[in-house]
Amino acid sequence: QALRFVQLLKQLFESLVSRRLEGWATLAERQSSSGIAGSSAAGAGGHPLANAHAPLSVSPDRELADMLLRFGDGANDTRALNQQQDVDECMAQCVSLLVHALPPSSKSQEQEQEQKQEGEKEVGGEDGAWIHSLLAGHLEMSTAAGNGSRGYEGKSSGGQERPTVDTFLNLNLNIPTRHTADINDCISAFFEPSVISSDRMSVDGGASSDDITRYTRIRDAPPVLCMQIQRVQFDMATMKAFKINSHLRLRRQVSLTPFTEFGGSTDAVASKRRELQNRISRLDGHLQTLQVPVPMEEGGPVSVVSALDRIRAFTQGVSRWAEMDAAKPLLADLPRSSADITRSAQIISEQLQPMCDSLAAAREEWEKDREELKEQLNEVYDCVPQDAMTYTLHAVFIHSGSTPEFGHYWVYMRDYNWQRGEERWLKFNDAVVSVVPVEEVLSDLPSAGEEFSNPYYLVYVRTQDIDKTVDMGI
């Protein structure tokens, strides 16, 4: 099956290249007959599915699609083509088939011995496969006890501490649920130290010294870096899966350099980046706390700001009602006089007014400060170091749908004309391929009517190797 898969891929690519070459030849013939300067080679170097004049449409072989969308052991496979498929599952299936069909890359005995000594965990036991030389990277984990002593998660047979190394084919990034996120923020959150609690408290009531902090760093990254956005989460209250539809702002280039050291790089740029991220995170926490729902006896829960506004409006209404001529005889027959009720409502309203004003002013100031900090952080993000850990965006898988139960996928792919030095973006939507502006891919905000269409899987290519991996031309 794996060999058949590779054979079908080869046939598909050969067919596409053949159709593109025919298109170039036809264009050159027209140019020649009309006296227009140029040649068929002038369009070379781009993606075989599209050119500036006539994007091609293509339908993949049914058998090829069936291999990617079905999982199992053949006869016992029960998953149908019309069922919802996760892009990560399809990618894993594709990699698995390529691993079994293609010969492994050569690995020296010294490399194998080094991998064993460093405690490296292989992905599916196939870390030497050719496809893994493109997609596989390595994360190194370290731990520190509550007393600050640094250790590692594993020990060698001799009792010496050693690092734990995990192989990855894609980074699984979380995304905030309440606001627009930046891809750099998601990457930073992935490498944030995490505390493994011992569920014990120290004498002074603080964290126990038995608590362990886990640190993660990138030991080496692959030529092709894949990242999956973890949009599907599980709600323990409803016991149902849901999709996070927060917009994700993508960057043309990202860098993993700040995450090559435990706890993050200590250079000035990285330190400034962390400072801004921490300040923005603190403000986000304050703004989100203001929106925490407060249960009400009547109606649904509301935020604390709305609850205070409701109480203040109610007490002001009571004061105005008590001053009405029709209410005075009624209040006179009550145990308390109208003056007492009016005064009590007035006191409550006066006491709540400063609090409401203070929260409103604070929220306005926090939102303003957040925007200013985001602008500063954007300037830091735009300063990408051009080194071996710098990556250029190449493909974006989009999932369109409000829930994880249904939806539609399409893909944006970067296309580079190596002879002209021109870059453009193509949209692969089922059998239709079209050219789209880069702003559609790198938008700051979701497009109107596309609030539920968002990046789900990203492919970045190491910038230094881009001419050897994807910008090779046809």
Side-chain angles (χ1 to χ4, degrees), residues 182-185 188 249-255 258 269-270 272-273 276-277 372-387 390-392 442-444 460 463:
D182 191 290
I183 183 59
N184 285 290
D185 298 332
S188 296
R249 180 182 181 183
L250 302 179
R251 300 280 177 168
R252 184 179 179 275
Q253 288 189 330
V254 297
S255 174
V269 175
K272 181 65 174 179
R273 173 178 173 148
L276 292 171
Q277 287 174 334
E372 292 177 354
L373 292 173
K374 288 293 290 185
E375 290 181 4
Q376 296 179 38
L377 187 58
N378 283 335
E379 293 178 359
V380 175
Y381 286 157
D382 289 337
C383 297
V384 181
Q386 298 303 310
D387 54 27
T390 300
Y391 287 80
T392 298
L442 305 178
S443 60
D444 293 343
Y460 278 82
T463 306

Side-chain angles (χ1 to χ4, degrees), residues 1 5 26 35 85 100 123 158 161 220 225 235 260 263 265 289 318 334 365 373 376-378 390 432 436:
Q1 184 187 34
F5 172 73
T26 302
Q85 305 296 327
H100 287 86
V123 176
E161 293 178 341
D220 56 79
L225 176 65
D235 189 337
T260 55
S265 175
T289 301
V318 169
L334 295 177
E365 183 178 354
L373 292 173
Q376 296 179 38
L377 187 58
N378 283 335
T390 300
V432 179
V436 298

Side-chain angles (χ1 to χ4, degrees), residues 105 127-136 222-224:
S105 60
D127 198 41
W130 168 82
I131 190 66
H132 285 157
S133 66
L134 284 178
L135 302 178
V224 179

Side-chain angles (χ1 to χ4, degrees), residues 178-192:
R178 295 183 180 273
H179 55 78
T180 296
D182 191 290
I183 183 59
N184 285 290
D185 298 332
C186 297
I187 297 174
S188 296
F190 179 87
F191 289 97
E192 276 292 306

Side-chain angles (χ1 to χ4, degrees), residues 21-33:
L21 292 176
E22 291 174 2
W24 289 334
T26 302
L27 176 62
E29 184 177 347
R30 275 202 234 100
Q31 291 175 337
S32 176
S33 61

